[in-house]
Amino acid sequence: MGKLDGKIALITGGNSGIGLATAQLFVKEGAYVYVTGRTQSKLDAAVKKIGTGGQGVTGGQGVTGVQGDVAKLDDLDRLFAQIKKEKGKLDIVFANAGIAKYAPLGEIDEAFYDSIFDGNVKGLLFTVQKALPLLPDGASVILNASIVGSKGLPANSVYAATKAAIRSFARTWTTDLKARKIRVNAISPGPIDTEGLRELFGSSAVGQERLKNISAIVPLGRLGQPEEIAKAALFLASDDSSFVTGIELFVDGGVAQV
């Protein structure tokens, strides 16, 4: 018996990193999982990792990939229409898709601002809102925030503001949805060893030194692993957290705590 047996889950941005690791764990625990990604080739590769045959490159055992961008409302409408047609409901939403870019105050332009807020705030908001008709009472909604929403890191002002908004959504949506007993919680990861993080810093000696420096400020002395965030998401998705709602769960090796 898995912790998510019979559950239908959606994980946005499920083609790499935290989203991919969470999809793999949710399927292992008995859920049928829909994953989204903007790039079809990466999504196909992720689906192959998550599932094991049965429905070709866009679907496998326990998983279906749906290409789309959460910042585009037409893509979201197409996603939820497919889920409604195929499964008729959603028990779990992990609004994980997002983008990380950095610029110091004084160098922020409108395109930079829009690209981050459209993906991280607008996309997340409408993902959850458009999912509501498919969510039964007692469903679980998980929002991927970040420790940067609680810290004052340089060149992070726009990105951090999006993550602070996500934390606020967990609080306000908890009250908006309390009559339906839908639980809304946020996860705030610390520095996690993902493909995206390594791409951000690059493979140069300078980039590798920056990764070492980040690891050094984490009280546990290392970067986190995507699988560790996935386990936290599983807790919030399952009945293990039946009396947990409105929280921000830090999974950060202590870096935002001390």
Side-chain angles (χ1 to χ4, degrees):
M1 292 288 290
K3 291 186 176 183
L4 302 179
D5 278 352
K7 302 292 187 181
I8 311 300
L10 167 65
I11 300 174
T12 61
N15 60 343
S16 65
I18 291 170
L20 175 59
T22 304
Q24 290 175 303
L25 182 58
F26 280 16
V27 169
K28 182 179 178 181
E29 291 290 337
Y32 192 98
V33 178
Y34 286 84
V35 293
T36 72
R38 291 182 294 177
T39 304
Q40 188 68 58
S41 60
K42 290 183 178 181
L43 184 62
D44 291 343
V47 167
K48 288 180 180 179
K49 288 181 180 179
I50 299 163
T52 54
Q55 299 177 29
V57 295
T58 58
Q61 182 178 334
V63 59
T64 293
V66 182
Q67 187 277 331
D69 183 343
V70 297
K72 297 179 179 178
L73 302 194
D74 288 345
D75 285 1
L76 288 176
D77 288 337
R78 176 169 49 83
L79 166 68
F80 290 115
Q82 180 172 341
I83 295 172
K84 181 178 181 179
K85 179 180 178 181
E86 294 176 355
K87 299 298 181 181
K89 68 163 186 171
L90 263 178
D91 301 291
I92 302 157
V93 174
F94 182 24
N96 165 71
I99 185 171
K101 293 181 182 178
Y102 308 106
L105 187 63
E107 298 181 13
I108 299 165
D109 60 25
E110 185 177 10
F112 177 89
Y113 174 92
D114 287 345
S115 68
I116 302 178
F117 263 83
D118 281 356
N120 293 5
V121 180
K122 173 186 170 184
L124 182 141
L125 186 158
F126 284 103
T127 294
V128 175
Q129 181 166 283
K130 288 177 179 291
L132 289 178
L134 294 175
L135 297 179
D137 290 358
S140 175
V141 174
I142 306 160
L143 313 178
N144 197 2
S146 171
I147 62 166
V148 301
S150 301
K151 298 184 71 67
L153 302 178
N156 270 253
S157 60
V158 178
Y159 177 59
T162 67
K163 295 302 184 176
I166 291 169
R167 172 60 182 113
S168 181
F169 283 158
R171 289 191 174 104
T172 53
W173 293 347
T174 291
T175 56
D176 283 344
L177 299 172
K178 66 180 182 180
R180 297 182 57 191
K181 297 180 173 57
I182 293 175
R183 299 183 296 109
V184 185
N185 294 291
I187 292 178
S188 281
I192 306 300
D193 191 2
T194 63
E195 177 184 335
L197 182 68
R198 292 192 174 273
E199 287 178 354
L200 190 65
F201 289 106
S203 58
S204 67
V206 173
Q208 293 305 302
E209 185 63 27
R210 289 182 68 187
L211 282 173
K212 285 184 180 179
N213 291 339
I214 290 172
S215 299
I217 66 171
V218 178
L220 290 183
R222 62 175 177 85
L223 299 176
Q225 296 300 311
E227 293 76 13
E228 293 175 303
I229 308 301
K231 291 175 182 177
L234 175 62
F235 167 71
L236 293 176
S238 73
D239 289 341
D240 287 347
S241 60
S242 58
F243 199 54
V244 177
T245 192
I247 72 161
E248 179 177 14
L249 177 58
F250 287 91
V251 189
D252 66 349
V255 70
Q257 314 308 315
V258 299

